[in-house]
């Protein structure tokens, strides 16, 4: 039996576990998958995080992707990372670089089992900053220089592909090579604040081919999180990867308050299987929740089953369909055969589509549509005292680590 | 990572940087050093890998895991692959 | 094998009875 077929029935524990440690973030990227900004006061405590690590160790989850929000703004972040690697749980964490000082870069270069992924959505500030915020390009480049100067090689540079940066693919590759880093490009999904900006950001149909051709030519040295399997229908060369939506089968998300979702791009009540604080813990959710069991049942291809590309495309991404209001057993909104666009027209004419229901955007950033937008960030203004616990500054209760100026 | 070729008449063991996680169909193999993930796709192969530790050589491990004679070549090939990936290594004793 | 290389569908068809398969750790949807 092929490995993918085994995977379809689910595993005893996930392979690709994403763990978001906080919804707090110094940035407010317009496509943020978790609508991050403000810290959620119900966030798992240090002790609870360590208990999650203990459980992952028991389950032999050897590796986690830590994200956020900006995970490094948690004052106990490095403590949690150290605890994880000391308990046979390797870490790759995703950051915008704000806390990667020269000193921290040296620490990282010395630790085994810790990998760093820096987010960059444009090869120039002109393309990056409208999406990630003013000054964010420089922040990330500084972090990358600090890592290089500390001798940390092979860190990941992670780019979300949009219609504005597909033309920069070669430039991204050049930057990665220059830093002895590895380029990772992934698909933009209409999740979180991305639901509001997807229409204006997602690659245009003709750019999909450009992307596919580039991947066929460079696929061997570029990571993709296997996120472009919906492009397989474009040619006869299948992109490397499993070509499988792993949601709830091999993939899942633990969010900052302990909620367990089928996939990091599916933060919505529909896809919440339970909480690590529940009686059976994470294991109970992964092995016993109705949602996860349902996702492991054989799925029907629906309108896609007659498509010649179904084997390698599988109807695309569940989260992308959900947040664009498409049926989960039909074509992906970016179906390269054009079936998604036709389906989207029907949605436009009909019922309202689901909107992300877990918004941690900072006040005023919520209904942000339109790219580019000017996004400022900095310390909280003292005169704007929060009226609710949830409304505090993202950095509230988090003393700045010593190494920050 | 091993540079020697696989020799079925030598003793082998799971490399110290490697962990096995049982799964319904076999096991997941993770190498903490190379960060590589692979899968042993039958339970029998998992038994063979476990048997290596106490076996004087790889042939003996196949016998003690009761691999059918007809499958010996396939399983030796699989072990050779695991050796070249560094998942198993020669036991120095 | 590079980190990103996994067994593609076409290869898997031919090598259906492989006893060992390598998978990219990045080969599943994680963080952006
Ligand atoms: S829902 Fe989409 S992003 Fe999530 S695992 Fe499936 S294909 Fe990947
Ligand atoms: S019709 Fe479905 S299977 Fe075919 S290319 Fe479109 S999304 Fe993929």
């Amino acid at each position: 039996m092929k490995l993918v077929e085994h995977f379809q029935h689910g595993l005893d524990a996930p392979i690709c576990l994403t763990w978001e440690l906080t919804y707090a973030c110094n940035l407010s990227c317009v496509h943020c998958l978790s609508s991050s900004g403000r810290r959620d006061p119900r966030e798992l405590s240090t002790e609870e995080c360590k208990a999650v690590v203990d459980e992952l160790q028991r389950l032999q989850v050897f590796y986690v992707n830590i994200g956020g929000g900006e995970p490094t703004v948690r004052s106990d972040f490095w403590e949690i990372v150290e605890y994880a690697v000391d308990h046979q749980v390797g870490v790759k964490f995703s950051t915008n670089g704000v806390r990667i000082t020269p000193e921290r870069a040296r620490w990282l270069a010395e630790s085994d089992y810790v990998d760093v992924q820096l987010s960059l959505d444009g090869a120039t500030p002109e393309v990056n900053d409208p999406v990630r915020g003013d000054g964010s390009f420089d922040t990330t480049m500084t972090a990358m220089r600090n890592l290089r100067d500390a001798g940390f090689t092979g860190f990941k540079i992670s780019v979300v592909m949009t219609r504005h940066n597909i033309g920069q693919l070669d430039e991204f590759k050049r930057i990665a090579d220059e830093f002895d880093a590895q380029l990772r490009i992934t698909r933009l999904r209409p999740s979180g604040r991305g639901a509001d900006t997807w229409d204006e950001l997602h690659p245009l149909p003709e750019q999909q081919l450009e992307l596919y051709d580039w991947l066929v030519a460079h696929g061997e040295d570029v990571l993709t999180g296997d996120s472009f399997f919906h492009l397989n229908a474009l040619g006869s060369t299948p992109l490397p990867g499993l070509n499988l939506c792993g949601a709830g089968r091999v993939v899942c998300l633990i969010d900052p308050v302990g909620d367990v979702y089928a996939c990091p791009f599916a933060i919505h009540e529909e896809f919440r299987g339970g909480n690590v604080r529940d009686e059976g813990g994470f294991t109970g959710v992964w092995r016993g929740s109705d949602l996860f069991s349902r996702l492991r049942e054989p799925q029907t291809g629906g309108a896609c089953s007659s498509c010649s590309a179904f084997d390698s495309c599988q109807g695309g991404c569940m989260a992308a369909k959900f947040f664009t209001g498409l049926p989960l057993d039909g074509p992906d909104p970016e179906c390269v055969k054009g079936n998604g666009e036709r389906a989207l027209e029907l949605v436009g004419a009909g019922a309202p589509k689901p909107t992300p229901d877990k918004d941690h955007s900072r006040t005023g950033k919520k209904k942000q549509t339109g790219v580019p937008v000017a996004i400022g960030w900095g310390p909280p203004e003292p005169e704007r005292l929060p009226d609710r616990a949830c409304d505090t500054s993202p950095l509230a209760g988090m003393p700045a680590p010593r190494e920050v100026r | 990572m091993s540079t020697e070729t696989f020799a079925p008449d030598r003793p082998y063991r799971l490399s110290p940087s490697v962990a096995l996680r049982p799964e319904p169909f076999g096991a997941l193999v993770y190498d903490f050093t190379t960060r590589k993930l692979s899968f042993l796709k039958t339970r029998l192969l998992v038994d063979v890998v476990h048997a290596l530790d106490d076996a004087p050589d790889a042939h003996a491990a196949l016998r003690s895991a009761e691999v059918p004679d007809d499958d010996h070549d396939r399983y030796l090939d699989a072990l050779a692959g695991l050796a070249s990936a560094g998942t198993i290594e020669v036991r120095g004793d | 094998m590079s980190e990103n290389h996994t067994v593609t569908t076409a290869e898997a068809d031919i090598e259906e009875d492989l006893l060992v398969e390598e998978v990219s750790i990045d080969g599943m949807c994680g963080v952006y």
Side-chain angles (χ1 to χ4, degrees), chain A residues 149-217:
Chain A
D149 294 349
F152 193 125
T153 57
F155 62 86
K156 314 292 181 280
I157 300 176
S158 184
V159 182
V160 180
M161 298 317 299
T162 66
R163 68 182 62 167
H164 306 296
N165 66 18
I166 282 195
Q168 296 186 314
L169 277 165
D170 288 328
E171 191 59 11
F172 284 118
K173 184 76 177 75
R174 197 194 54 72
I175 295 176
D177 291 345
E178 182 191 323
F179 283 94
D180 214 346
Q182 193 169 23
L183 180 60
R184 178 176 189 268
I185 62 175
T186 55
R187 179 181 180 190
L188 172 78
R189 282 84 157 189
S191 312
R193 278 195 294 269
D196 294 333
T197 48
W198 186 80
D199 283 338
E200 321 157 46
L201 285 180
H202 77 85
L204 299 167
E206 61 273 20
Q207 291 179 315
Q208 304 276 34
L209 188 61
E210 191 181 338
L211 177 58
Y212 173 82
D213 287 341
W214 196 89
L215 280 171
V216 169

Side-chain angles (χ1 to χ4, degrees), chain A residues 83 85 148 177 192 195 258 289 328 380:
Chain A
Y83 189 84
V85 300
R148 180 181 56 190
D177 291 345
S289 78
L328 299 188

Side-chain angles (χ1 to χ4, degrees), chain A residues 50-175:
Chain A
K50 290 183 177 174
V52 169
V53 171
D54 292 340
E55 199 176 350
L56 298 179
Q57 182 182 22
R58 281 196 297 278
L59 284 170
Q60 292 188 283
V61 173
F62 301 119
Y63 174 91
V64 290
N65 298 299
I66 291 185
E70 172 52 46
T72 62
V73 304
R74 267 187 80 125
S75 57
D76 56 2
F77 176 69
W78 307 106
E79 184 184 346
I80 295 168
V81 169
E82 268 191 300
Y83 189 84
V85 300
D86 287 346
H87 289 78
Q88 280 85 50
V89 179
V91 167
K92 178 181 84 176
F93 70 89
S94 176
T95 175
N96 57 44
V98 65
R99 290 285 196 267
I100 310 296
T101 59
E103 186 195 0
R104 187 51 69 183
R106 283 190 294 275
W107 182 86
L108 286 165
E110 277 163 24
S111 4
D112 291 332
Y113 315 134
V114 183
D115 199 1
V116 185
Q117 173 168 306
L118 285 150
S119 306
L120 193 69
D121 291 331
T124 52
E126 291 70 33
V127 175
N128 181 80
D129 290 6
V131 171
R132 306 191 55 83
D134 284 343
S136 59
F137 182 83
D138 289 340
T139 305
T140 305
M141 293 303 273
T142 303
M144 282 163 45
R145 275 190 291 272
N146 291 343
L147 287 170
R148 180 181 56 190
D149 294 349
F152 193 125
T153 57
F155 62 86
K156 314 292 181 280
I157 300 176
S158 184
V159 182
V160 180
M161 298 317 299
T162 66
R163 68 182 62 167
H164 306 296
N165 66 18
I166 282 195
Q168 296 186 314
L169 277 165
D170 288 328
E171 191 59 11
F172 284 118
K173 184 76 177 75
R174 197 194 54 72
I175 295 176

